[in-house]
Amino acid sequence: MASEMSSLGKKKGLLGFLILSITIIWGYAWALMKASLDFMGPFTFSALRFGTGTMTMFLVLLIFKVGPPPKDKWRHLAIIGLLQTTVVFLLVMYGLRFVDAGKSSVLLYSMPIWSSLLAAKFLGEKIQKMKAAGLTFGMIGLITILGWDVLIDQNMTVLTGEVLIILAAISWGASNVYYRKKLKNITNLQVSAYQMLFGTIGLALAAFIIEWGEPLHLTPKSIYYVLFTGVLASALCFTLWFIILNNIDMVTATLSTLLVPVFGMIFGVVLLNEQLTPNIILGSIFILSGIAISQIFKEKPLPQHIQ
């Protein structure tokens, strides 16, 4: 595996293709997540998606002959799984009931802003001037999106969904900071697989408790949604992401993920007939610019486990 990754690093064109493919898949997955709500409850879909992804991830571990992490790290992996998979996707999927897929992807990918703020608080990382400028841009973007909805739309269900997705972004950022504090010498592949396992357990419990007895329509279309988001958007992309991270610097990799909400908005418009209003476009520009600035001037970039 090491030799394969080394040879891949010499093929910049292939790496660029992989990065573009991953971001397109993740952007497309947002439209599928929204569409899945026509067939089942949000928590049931998440449990099925990440259950499928977990099984695929452990198959990947077997293929690459990657053993389990040390037992003393399992508790920390469970906490990351709770923060990053259970909490994030409980909030995101419920929020998607009220918020368009494109706007949701932009709000969730405000995560680096919260990661930076939490890292300053709990890791003692200094917020330099340019990083502060990036955070300011990001906050202006969030206010542009939310403020417009408060003043013009005044739809409390939409606002509630938006707040839930921002809380999901904060939880994702918290999981990254926790990773930095508690987990070292653990490969990204191990972290992705085991946090997904523990996170799926939380999602399954939530689906069982809250959505037991609710309609579950398993059709070719809904099964496709589960398999695509579970196998491709989660397991396969995580594996490719692990390989990419071993071939390029973290800043470049992180900045490439800014394409995800862009594709999320495009697929939302094309597949779900969502509207791109001026506040969404302007707010998105502010958020993506702010994240780019803050990531470029990071001293120690936070690990990214993107789903």
Side-chain angles (χ1 to χ4, degrees):
M1 180 180 178
S3 61
E4 293 175 358
M5 290 192 296
S6 177
S7 61
L8 182 61
K10 300 176 182 178
K11 301 177 180 178
K12 294 183 179 180
L14 179 56
L15 276 172
F17 172 76
L18 289 178
I19 291 173
L20 181 62
S21 299
I22 289 173
T23 54
I24 290 175
I25 289 172
W26 279 333
Y28 176 53
W30 277 95
L32 300 190
M33 288 159 58
K34 177 76 172 182
S36 72
L37 299 178
D38 293 333
F39 298 91
M40 64 192 78
F43 305 153
T44 299
F45 173 79
S46 294
L48 291 175
R49 170 192 174 177
F50 286 103
T52 302
T54 297
M55 289 187 289
T56 308
M57 281 299 302
F58 275 86
L59 179 60
V60 170
L61 292 180
L62 182 63
I63 293 173
F64 287 154
K65 298 180 180 179
V66 178
K71 291 291 181 67
D72 63 337
K73 302 296 184 182
W74 284 37
R75 177 170 61 90
H76 301 310
L77 287 165
I79 292 174
I80 290 177
L82 175 67
L83 290 172
Q84 183 175 295
T85 296
T86 303
V87 173
V88 168
F89 282 90
L90 287 179
L91 295 175
V92 164
M93 290 303 299
Y94 193 78
L96 273 171
R97 284 184 161 182
F98 317 114
V99 184
D100 287 347
K103 186 192 292 185
S104 299
S105 65
V106 172
L107 294 176
L108 184 64
Y109 275 79
S110 69
M111 175 275 296
I113 297 172
W114 309 110
S115 289
S116 297
L117 293 173
L118 291 170
K121 173 68 175 178
F122 296 103
L123 300 179
E125 292 189 0
K126 295 181 180 180
I127 299 182
Q128 299 174 340
K129 291 182 179 180
M130 292 304 296
K131 188 187 293 185
L135 295 176
T136 301
F137 267 76
M139 289 299 181
I140 291 174
L142 290 176
I143 293 171
T144 300
I145 293 175
L146 298 180
W148 184 284
D149 286 349
V150 170
L151 296 175
I152 305 300
D153 191 13
Q154 295 183 338
N155 186 324
M156 289 309 298
T157 56
V158 173
L159 291 173
T160 300
E162 291 172 347
V163 170
L164 290 176
I165 294 169
I166 291 175
L167 290 175
I170 295 173
S171 180
W172 185 5
S175 74
N176 284 340
V177 173
Y178 190 87
Y179 175 98
R180 285 277 301 277
K181 284 183 69 72
K182 299 296 184 180
L183 287 175
K184 296 180 179 179
N185 302 320
I186 304 293
T187 69
N188 286 8
L189 198 58
Q190 287 175 315
V191 172
S192 294
Y194 281 83
Q195 72 83 18
M196 194 184 297
L197 170 64
F198 291 119
T200 299
I201 294 172
L203 290 170
L205 288 174
F208 179 79
I209 295 171
I210 299 174
E211 295 180 349
W212 178 260
E214 292 190 10
L216 170 60
H217 303 292
L218 291 178
T219 67
K221 185 176 290 186
S222 65
I223 292 173
Y224 165 72
Y225 294 162
V226 170
L227 291 178
F228 186 96
T229 57
V231 176
L232 294 182
S234 296
L236 175 62
C237 285
F238 280 152
T239 303
L240 293 177
W241 190 250
F242 167 72
I243 295 174
I244 288 170
L245 288 175
N246 282 275
N247 285 279
I248 63 176
D249 64 277
M250 179 66 77
V251 172
T252 302
T254 301
L255 290 175
S256 69
T257 65
L258 299 185
L259 289 172
V260 176
V262 174
F263 286 123
M265 289 188 289
I266 292 173
F267 284 116
V269 170
V270 174
L271 300 179
L272 303 176
N273 296 316
E274 296 178 351
Q275 299 298 315
L276 282 182
T277 58
N279 65 302
I280 296 176
I281 296 173
L282 182 60
S284 299
I285 292 173
F286 273 115
I287 291 174
L288 298 181
S289 299
I291 292 172
I293 293 171
S294 64
Q295 292 296 307
I296 288 172
F297 291 95
K298 269 181 176 295
E299 293 179 354
K300 297 179 180 179
L302 290 170
Q304 306 293 309
H305 310 298
I306 299 165
Q307 311 182 77

